[in-house]
Amino acid sequence: MFRRSSYASVAAGNSGQPPQTAPTRSGAFSHLVGSNPSSGAQANYPSTSHSRPHPRSVDIDGHNNMSTSWGRNGPLPSYTSQFGYLNGYGGGIPDGPLPSFFVPSYLRGSKHAEKLEEVHNARVAAHRDREYRSTHSSNTGSLSTSSSSVNLHKGAPSHRGLTHDIVERAPVYVEEPVVPWPTKWNDMDKYAQMEIDEGGRQAKYGGTPKPHDEAASVRADHPMPRQCGIYYYEITVVSKGKDGRMIGVGFCGPKVVLSRIPGWEPESYAYHGDDGQLFSNATTGKPYGPKFGTLDVIGCGINFRTGTAFFTKNGHYIGTAFKDIKNNQVYYPTVGMKRPGETLRANFGQEPFAFDIDKMVQAEKASIQAEIARAKSPHQDKIDETDFIQGFVRQYLTHDGYVDTARAFKEEVIEEVKALAADGDEEPSYVEAEEDLDAINRQKIRAAIVGGDIDKALKHTSAYYPSVLRDNENIYFKLRCRKFIEMIRRCSELTVQYRTTPSKRSTTSTSNNRNSTATDEYDFEMELDEQLGVHNNGASWGDGADLHADEDDDIEDKEAKLSQLMTETLEYGMELKSEFSNDPRREVKRALEDTFALIAYENVRESSLAPLLDTAGRTPVAEELNSAILVSLGKSSSAALERLVQQTEALVNELGDDGGPGAFINVRRDFLM
Amino acid sequence: MSSSTVSVSAATPTQHAFHRKIDEIKPSKADINFVIMDYLISEGYPRAAEKFAKEANMILPVEEESIQSRVEIRKAIHAGDIDTAVNKINDLNPQILDTDPALHFALLRLQLIELIRTCTSTATSDITPALNFASSQLAPRAATNPDFLKDLELTMSLLIFLPSDNLQPQLAELLKPSLRRDIASRVNEAILCSMGARGEARIRSLVRLRLWAETKARDSGKDLPPYIPLGLQDADNNGSEANGNSEAADIMVQ
C-alpha cells in the first residue's frame, strides 16, 4: 500500500497540490488519465491518514505501518468490485440489452465460434464504451473494455507471451459479417398464434387456429450457419396438445409459409412426430424413424460438407434423412404444430445436448485430419520435405533477424549433412544464406527491446533507419508505452528489493542487474538523445547499473532512489500523456489507459494487470518494429513461413465458407498450438 | 490497426482477390515463433533452440534430457551406425522398438544395407557377414509380414549388383542418404510419441495442410490465382537455392 501512497504524494507534489482525495487510482492519477477525480464511491479510504507533508516519511511509515493494516483489513474490495465482473465474464452475461453469448459444445474451438466470439467481444466493448461515455462516472470502463484485458483470461501458454497491445489479435478486421448461429425462436417470424416464451426458447401454439390454416410454425432467429460444417439443435416436446396430432421438426428457407406444417412446402424439410415420417416438399411422407411425443428430445442436424441431414431421438442417431441439402441455400431451424396447446422447447446449444453430437463432429474432424496427413506433394520425389522445411526455418530466422539462432541452426544442419554424407556418395550441399548487415542491426534493436532497454532501441532505430519511426507512429507510440511499462517494472522491482533489503540484499541485486547493458556506445547514445529529445532524467532506463551499483547503501539511499525513480516515472508518464492524449485513435487511448492503470497498484505483480508488466510483452513490440524496418528496406514484411500460414488460413477459409472440409479446421488451434 | 503500418499491400489493379484475402490474415509472431521453437526442439537442434529462446524472448521448453539423446541417435543413424542407434533407443525406452515392429525392421534393414555396402566394397567381397545378419536378424521377422519380405528381398538383391555405377532406381534408392534421414526422422517421431509428445513437428503438419488445402480448393473449383508463391526464394536468399528446384519448391501445387 505504501507504494500507492507514495505515488500519490509524489504526484501531488508534482502537480503542486496537497493530496486531498484518497490515493486510489482514480484519485491520484486523475489528472493523468483524465478521469473524474470524484469517484469517491469506490474510494472509501480515509483520506486524511495519507496526506502527509513529506513523501519520504510516507514511504517509511507506509511501509512499516499501513501496508500491514491496509493489506489485511483495508477497503480493498472497492477494487475487487470494480474488476469483479471481469472475472465473472466467462460464465456470466453482462447485463443490459446485449444478447447473451454461448457456444454450442460441438463448436467449441472451431474457427467460426472464434470469429463469433470476437464479434461478440467487440460488441460488448463498444457497448461498455457507450455506457462509459454516457455515465462517465468512473474510469473502470477504460480498463475493462479493452480487448487486451479480456484476452488476458484466455490463458495462452506461457512461452507465447501475452500481448500488451490491443492490436495483435484485435477483433477488428472482419472482412465480411460473421454469420451468427440460431439462438432463439424469432418472435417476428412466426405464425400469429404462436407464443414465444422463456427468452425465445419455448414455442407454444396458443389461441385458436384460423379456419383455413393448417398449422402454426416458427423459424429461429438465424439460419444454420454452414461455416460450422455441421450444425445441430434439439427440441424437447414439453407437452403434446390434447389431440396429440402432429409436430414437425426440421429446417426451411426464409420464405416458406408458416401456416403449414414444416416439410410440406418447397425448401422445407421435417421429421413428423405422429407417424415418424420424413417430409420435404410433399404432403406424403417417407418412412424414417419412430414416432415422438411428450418429453421426447428430437435433434436435427445438417452436415454441410456432405450435404446431408439427420435426426436423433432421445440421444440416439436415427439415420440420414435427406441427401439433397444444397450449399447455396439458407435454412432456418423450424418447428410446427397442428393443434393448440402443443409446446416445444429448443436447445440451440445453451445446454448440453441429449445426443453426443460432439463425438460426431470429432469423428468428422479426425477423418479430415487423416486425409491431410496423407497429402503428398505431386513433386515430392524432386524436393525432399525435410529440405523444404529447413528452407522455411532458415529463411524465417534470417528474415526476422534472429542472427545467433540462424548461425547455430546452420552449424547444426551442417553437422547433420556431414554425418549423412560421410561416405561421400552424394554431397548434399548446404545452402549458404548470406547474413546481411541489416540483420545485425535489426538484431541489436530486437535485443534492446527484449532486454527492456527501449531507449536504446529507439536510438538505434533512429540512427540506422531514420524514417521508420517517423512513418510508423503507431509503433513509436507502442515503444514509448513500453518504456513507461519498463519504468513501472523497475519501480516495482526496486520496491520489492527495498522491502527485502536487510535480509536478501545480494540476491535481489543480482536479479535486478540482469537488464544492465554495456555502455560502450554511451557518447553515441547521448548524441542521439539530443537529436531525439529523449528525456533521460539522469538515469538511463535500460542501463540499471547505476541504480544498483552500491548494494551497501542503507535504506535511505534506496528509498531516495525509489522516490526519484517514481518521480521520473511520473514525469515520463505525463510527457507521454501530453504527447498522445489528443490522439483520436481508440487503440491509442486504450493503450494509454491500460498503461496508466498500472500505477494504481501497490503490488502490480499480483494484480489483474500483472500480464501487462510481463517481459513477454516486449516481444510483439520488437516484432512489429522489425517488420516495419523490413518494409522500409523494401523487403517483404513477412517471411515465407508467415506467408505459408497466411495462405493456409486463406485456403482453409475458402474450403470452409460453404460448409466444406475447411469448416472443420481451425488452423491456429489445430496446427500452430 | 497494425495493418496500416505493416501493410504489404500496394495492391496492383490486376491482383487476384485471393491475394487480398491472404494479406488480410495476420498471423501472430508469437505463433510463428512457437512453430519455429517446436521445430527446433522436436527435430533436435538444441543449440539453435537455446539461441532462439534468448533472441525471441521465449522460455526454452524443458525437454533437455531427451533432446540430447535424440540428437545422438539421429547422428548414429545418419552415420550408418545402426547398432549404436538401436542401443541408445533401447536405453531410452525399450518399448519403442518392441511396439513398432515396422520401425525396428526398417532399422535392421538399414543395418543390412550398411553391411552389404561394406562387404561389396572390400577387395575380397566377402559377403558372409551380410548373409549371416540377414538370416539371423531379418529373415525371422520377414516371415511374419509380406511387406517386410519384399523389402528384404529387394535389399538382398543389392548383393548381386554391387558394386555398380548403374543400379536400377529402386536399388539406388536404398543407398541414398535420404533413406537414413527418413528412418532417423521416423525414429525421432517414435521417441517423441513415446514421451507423450506430438510426434511430428507442427511445421510439417502445416506444410501438409497447406498442400491439401490448395489441392482441395482447386479440385472443388474455387477461384484461385494460377500460382500462389510462398516467396521462399525472394530477395532474402536470392537465387542461392542450390538444389535447382527453387521454382518448384516455391509453388506447392501446380
Side-chain angles (χ1 to χ4, degrees), chain A residues 104-162:
Chain A
S105 56
Y106 61 96
L107 293 176
R108 275 177 205 146
S110 70
K111 188 74 194 165
H112 193 66
E114 274 180 8
K115 284 188 189 166
L116 276 183
E117 194 167 359
E118 280 181 2
V119 169
H120 175 76
N121 287 343
R123 210 171 280 156
V124 171
H127 180 69
R128 292 227 181 93
D129 254 11
R130 273 197 304 278
E131 276 190 341
Y132 166 58
R133 271 200 292 276
S134 61
T135 57
H136 203 257
S137 62
S138 82
N139 61 358
T140 53
S142 63
L143 252 183
S144 49
T145 47
S146 85
S147 57
S148 67
S149 39
V150 173
N151 282 342
L152 301 183
H153 298 271
K154 283 185 178 168
S158 57
H159 55 286
R160 254 159 208 278
L162 292 160

Side-chain angles (χ1 to χ4, degrees), chain A residues 105-403:
Chain A
S105 56
Y106 61 96
L107 293 176
R108 275 177 205 146
S110 70
K111 188 74 194 165
H112 193 66
E114 274 180 8
K115 284 188 189 166
L116 276 183
E117 194 167 359
E118 280 181 2
V119 169
H120 175 76
N121 287 343
R123 210 171 280 156
V124 171
H127 180 69
R128 292 227 181 93
D129 254 11
R130 273 197 304 278
E131 276 190 341
Y132 166 58
R133 271 200 292 276
S134 61
T135 57
H136 203 257
S137 62
S138 82
N139 61 358
T140 53
S142 63
L143 252 183
S144 49
T145 47
S146 85
S147 57
S148 67
S149 39
V150 173
N151 282 342
L152 301 183
H153 298 271
K154 283 185 178 168
S158 57
H159 55 286
R160 254 159 208 278
L162 292 160
T163 53
H164 157 237
D165 63 57
I166 357 163
V167 174
E168 208 193 16
R169 290 226 146 243
V172 170
Y173 69 92
V174 177
E175 56 286 356
E176 58 210 47
V178 187
V179 194
W181 44 59
T183 62
K184 59 182 191 226
W185 297 121
N186 190 346
D187 215 13
M188 313 296 285
D189 193 17
K190 64 176 174 72
Y191 181 73
Q193 261 69 44
M194 187 76 90
E195 292 165 8
I196 307 300
D197 251 328
E198 295 195 20
R201 303 219 2 225
Q202 188 158 299
K204 182 182 179 184
Y205 188 4
T208 46
K210 289 179 196 160
H212 298 294
D213 290 341
E214 292 151 295
S217 295
V218 62
R219 268 183 288 265
D221 56 348
H222 297 293
M224 303 158 89
R226 63 176 67 92
Q227 291 84 348
C228 294
I230 288 179
Y231 182 82
Y232 177 81
Y233 76 99
E234 285 180 351
I235 58 111
T236 305
V237 183
V238 176
S239 74
K240 217 159 80 151
K242 214 167 46 194
D243 307 342
R245 279 291 300 279
M246 191 193 282
I247 295 169
V249 180
F251 47 92
C252 68
K255 296 202 174 89
V256 175
V257 294
L258 296 170
S259 56
R260 299 195 90 197
I261 199 86
W264 286 7
E265 296 287 308
E267 282 183 41
S268 185
Y269 299 81
Y271 170 34
H272 286 187
D274 62 327
D275 52 10
Q277 295 195 344
L278 291 177
F279 293 76
S280 78
N281 191 19
T283 48
T284 49
K286 278 181 250 164
Y288 174 62
K291 297 175 186 179
F292 61 85
T294 305
L295 293 183
D296 281 332
V297 179
I298 303 301
C300 168
I302 297 182
N303 183 333
F304 290 95
R305 187 177 76 91
T306 56
T308 57
F310 60 94
F311 292 93
T312 66
K313 184 187 172 190
N314 296 330
H316 296 288
Y317 180 76
I318 300 174
T320 301
F322 304 107
K323 290 181 176 162
D324 57 340
I325 311 302
K326 296 173 208 77
N327 65 4
N328 55 358
Q329 288 284 352
V330 168
Y331 297 112
Y332 289 78
T334 186
V335 289
M337 314 73 150
K338 280 206 102 173
R339 282 290 173 267
E342 282 169 359
T343 309
L344 303 178
R345 185 181 161 81
N347 176 12
F348 294 113
Q350 291 100 332
E351 290 165 12
F353 290 108
F355 172 67
D356 193 350
I357 181 71
D358 298 23
K359 196 169 146 195
M360 182 189 263
V361 173
Q362 283 306 326
E364 193 82 9
K365 278 185 192 162
S367 77
I368 292 167
Q369 297 267 9
E371 198 183 312
I372 295 167
R374 285 192 304 269
K376 279 239 157 55
S377 165
H379 47 249
Q380 197 146 49
D381 48 328
K382 278 197 282 173
I383 304 150
D384 189 274
E385 192 193 66
T386 304
D387 284 338
F388 190 50
I389 284 168
Q390 276 180 2
F392 275 110
V393 174
R394 194 165 56 229
Q395 198 261 0
Y396 179 77
L397 294 175
T398 34
H399 180 275
D400 274 45
Y402 295 109
V403 178

Side-chain angles (χ1 to χ4, degrees), chain A residues 580-636:
Chain A
F580 290 99
S581 61
N582 292 325
D583 197 302
R585 284 171 298 180
R586 207 163 88 151
E587 66 268 25
V588 170
K589 279 200 162 67
R590 287 233 174 110
L592 266 184
E593 284 162 359
D594 274 3
T595 311
F596 275 98
L598 283 172
I599 31 184
Y601 286 90
E602 175 210 6
N603 196 346
V604 199
R605 282 158 204 282
E606 283 162 25
S607 76
S608 64
L609 292 179
L612 281 187
L613 277 195
D614 199 334
T615 51
R618 293 166 180 169
T619 321
V621 187
E623 303 295 0
E624 214 177 322
L625 179 56
N626 186 56
S627 296
I629 294 172
L630 283 169
V631 171
S632 81
L633 295 171
K635 295 190 181 185
S636 167

Side-chain angles (χ1 to χ4, degrees), chain A residues 313-584:
Chain A
K313 184 187 172 190
N314 296 330
H316 296 288
Y317 180 76
I318 300 174
T320 301
F322 304 107
K323 290 181 176 162
D324 57 340
I325 311 302
K326 296 173 208 77
N327 65 4
N328 55 358
Q329 288 284 352
V330 168
Y331 297 112
Y332 289 78
T334 186
V335 289
M337 314 73 150
K338 280 206 102 173
R339 282 290 173 267
E342 282 169 359
T343 309
L344 303 178
R345 185 181 161 81
N347 176 12
F348 294 113
Q350 291 100 332
E351 290 165 12
F353 290 108
F355 172 67
D356 193 350
I357 181 71
D358 298 23
K359 196 169 146 195
M360 182 189 263
V361 173
Q362 283 306 326
E364 193 82 9
K365 278 185 192 162
S367 77
I368 292 167
Q369 297 267 9
E371 198 183 312
I372 295 167
R374 285 192 304 269
K376 279 239 157 55
S377 165
H379 47 249
Q380 197 146 49
D381 48 328
K382 278 197 282 173
I383 304 150
D384 189 274
E385 192 193 66
T386 304
D387 284 338
F388 190 50
I389 284 168
Q390 276 180 2
F392 275 110
V393 174
R394 194 165 56 229
Q395 198 261 0
Y396 179 77
L397 294 175
T398 34
H399 180 275
D400 274 45
Y402 295 109
V403 178
D404 292 346
T405 313
R407 211 174 280 143
F409 183 60
K410 181 172 148 187
E411 283 165 15
E412 285 184 280
V413 170
I414 288 174
E415 271 173 33
E416 190 184 346
V417 166
K418 278 186 183 150
L420 264 178
D423 28 49
D425 295 324
E426 198 181 319
E427 190 87 10
S429 57
Y430 181 82
V431 181
E432 288 283 325
E434 279 172 48
E435 273 178 22
D436 54 318
L437 246 169
D438 275 320
I440 298 186
N441 290 340
R442 288 185 287 126
Q443 182 198 27
K444 273 191 207 159
I445 293 168
R446 176 202 307 279
I449 299 177
V450 166
D453 190 347
I454 308 297
D455 278 344
K456 189 173 171 192
L458 282 169
K459 279 167 220 154
H460 282 322
T461 310
S462 311
Y464 300 131
Y465 312 104
S467 69
V468 169
L469 291 176
R470 209 169 49 232
D471 298 345
N472 297 280
E473 214 216 337
N474 194 349
I475 295 173
Y476 175 65
F477 169 69
K478 282 182 194 169
L479 283 166
R480 297 287 309 259
C481 271
R482 188 67 216 179
K483 183 185 166 186
F484 191 43
I485 292 172
E486 294 302 334
M487 292 174 98
I488 294 169
R489 267 182 66 81
R490 181 61 52 74
C491 284
S492 157
E493 266 173 18
L494 210 64
T495 307
V496 174
Q497 189 191 20
Y498 164 62
R499 282 182 180 168
T500 53
T501 295
S503 54
K504 290 185 181 172
R505 186 169 294 158
S506 55
T507 50
T508 50
S509 68
T510 49
S511 75
N512 270 323
N513 268 327
R514 71 169 184 273
N515 282 340
S516 58
T517 44
T519 50
D520 52 342
E521 292 168 276
Y522 191 70
D523 290 337
F524 171 67
E525 290 179 6
M526 288 301 283
E527 204 174 296
L528 282 166
D529 274 353
E530 280 164 31
Q531 289 168 15
L532 282 170
V534 173
H535 269 257
N536 248 19
N537 290 325
S540 165
W541 280 96
D543 185 355
D546 54 341
L547 291 168
H548 309 290
D550 28 14
E551 295 163 22
D552 294 326
D553 272 342
D554 43 357
I555 292 174
E556 280 80 24
D557 268 1
K558 296 251 188 230
E559 180 210 316
K561 272 178 191 152
L562 183 55
S563 167
Q564 191 204 351
L565 219 60
M566 283 172 176
T567 313
E568 283 166 9
T569 305
L570 280 166
E571 276 170 8
Y572 179 78
M574 281 184 279
E575 190 189 312
L576 188 64
K577 156 98 171 145
S578 67
E579 191 173 341
F580 290 99
S581 61
N582 292 325
D583 197 302

Side-chain angles (χ1 to χ4, degrees), chain A residues 160 396 399-400 405 668, chain B residues 21 29 31 33 45 55 236:
Chain A
R160 254 159 208 278
Y396 179 77
H399 180 275
D400 274 45
T405 313
R668 179 161 190 264
Chain B
K21 289 186 187 174
K29 288 278 186 183
D31 287 346
N33 285 349
Y45 300 102
E55 284 190 293
D236 281 323

Side-chain angles (χ1 to χ4, degrees), chain A residues 158-160 166-170 172-173 175 368 371-373 375-379 382-397 399-406 408-409 411-413 415-416 419-420 423 425-426 428-429 431-432 443 446 450 472 474-475 587 615-616 618-619 623-624 627-628 631 635-637 640-655 658 661-662 665 667-668 670-673, chain B residues 1-8 18 21-37 39-40 43-49 51-61 71 74-75 77-80 114 117 175-178 180-182 185 198 200 202-217 220 222-224 228-232 234-237 240-243 245 248-254:
Chain A
S158 57
H159 55 286
R160 254 159 208 278
I166 357 163
V167 174
E168 208 193 16
R169 290 226 146 243
V172 170
Y173 69 92
E175 56 286 356
I368 292 167
E371 198 183 312
I372 295 167
K376 279 239 157 55
S377 165
H379 47 249
K382 278 197 282 173
I383 304 150
D384 189 274
E385 192 193 66
T386 304
D387 284 338
F388 190 50
I389 284 168
Q390 276 180 2
F392 275 110
V393 174
R394 194 165 56 229
Q395 198 261 0
Y396 179 77
L397 294 175
H399 180 275
D400 274 45
Y402 295 109
V403 178
D404 292 346
T405 313
F409 183 60
E411 283 165 15
E412 285 184 280
V413 170
E415 271 173 33
E416 190 184 346
L420 264 178
D423 28 49
D425 295 324
E426 198 181 319
S429 57
V431 181
E432 288 283 325
Q443 182 198 27
R446 176 202 307 279
V450 166
N472 297 280
N474 194 349
I475 295 173
E587 66 268 25
T615 51
R618 293 166 180 169
T619 321
E623 303 295 0
E624 214 177 322
S627 296
V631 171
K635 295 190 181 185
S636 167
S637 69
L641 178 56
E642 285 168 286
R643 269 195 296 279
L644 179 81
V645 173
Q646 287 178 307
Q647 292 171 5
T648 308
E649 285 225 34
L651 287 164
V652 168
N653 285 346
E654 289 294 301
L655 287 174
D658 59 356
I665 300 166
V667 175
R668 179 161 190 264
D670 301 342
F671 288 86
L672 302 180
M673 294 172 80
Chain B
M1 315 187 70
S2 59
S3 59
S4 62
T5 62
V6 198
S7 153
V8 219
F18 187 70
K21 289 186 187 174
I22 292 175
D23 287 343
E24 273 166 15
I25 289 161
K26 308 278 176 222
S28 104
K29 288 278 186 183
D31 287 346
I32 305 279
N33 285 349
F34 175 78
V35 167
I36 294 281
M37 182 60 95
Y39 169 81
L40 296 176
E43 306 248 324
Y45 300 102
R47 292 202 302 278
K51 294 279 185 209
F52 192 60
K54 208 172 283 168
E55 284 190 293
N57 193 22
M58 293 168 90
I59 294 160
L60 193 65
V71 170
R74 180 185 69 199
K75 268 188 196 150
I77 297 175
H78 281 176
E114 297 309 324
R117 206 199 288 264
L175 297 176
K176 281 190 183 159
S178 58
R180 277 186 250 160
R181 182 150 89 171
D182 288 349
S185 143
R198 183 180 170 124
E200 184 178 76
R202 280 162 180 81
I203 191 170
R204 282 188 190 269
S205 321
L206 190 67
V207 163
R208 230 167 274 144
L209 174 65
R210 161 74 174 74
L211 179 69
W212 171 85
E214 186 174 345
T215 314
K216 201 88 181 166
S220 54
K222 303 279 182 198
D223 183 20
L224 298 178
I228 311 178
L230 288 158
L232 197 50
D234 70 6
D236 281 323
N237 48 355
S240 53
E241 210 66 31
N243 56 18
N245 289 319
D250 209 35
I251 301 162
M252 293 180 95
V253 177
Q254 283 164 312

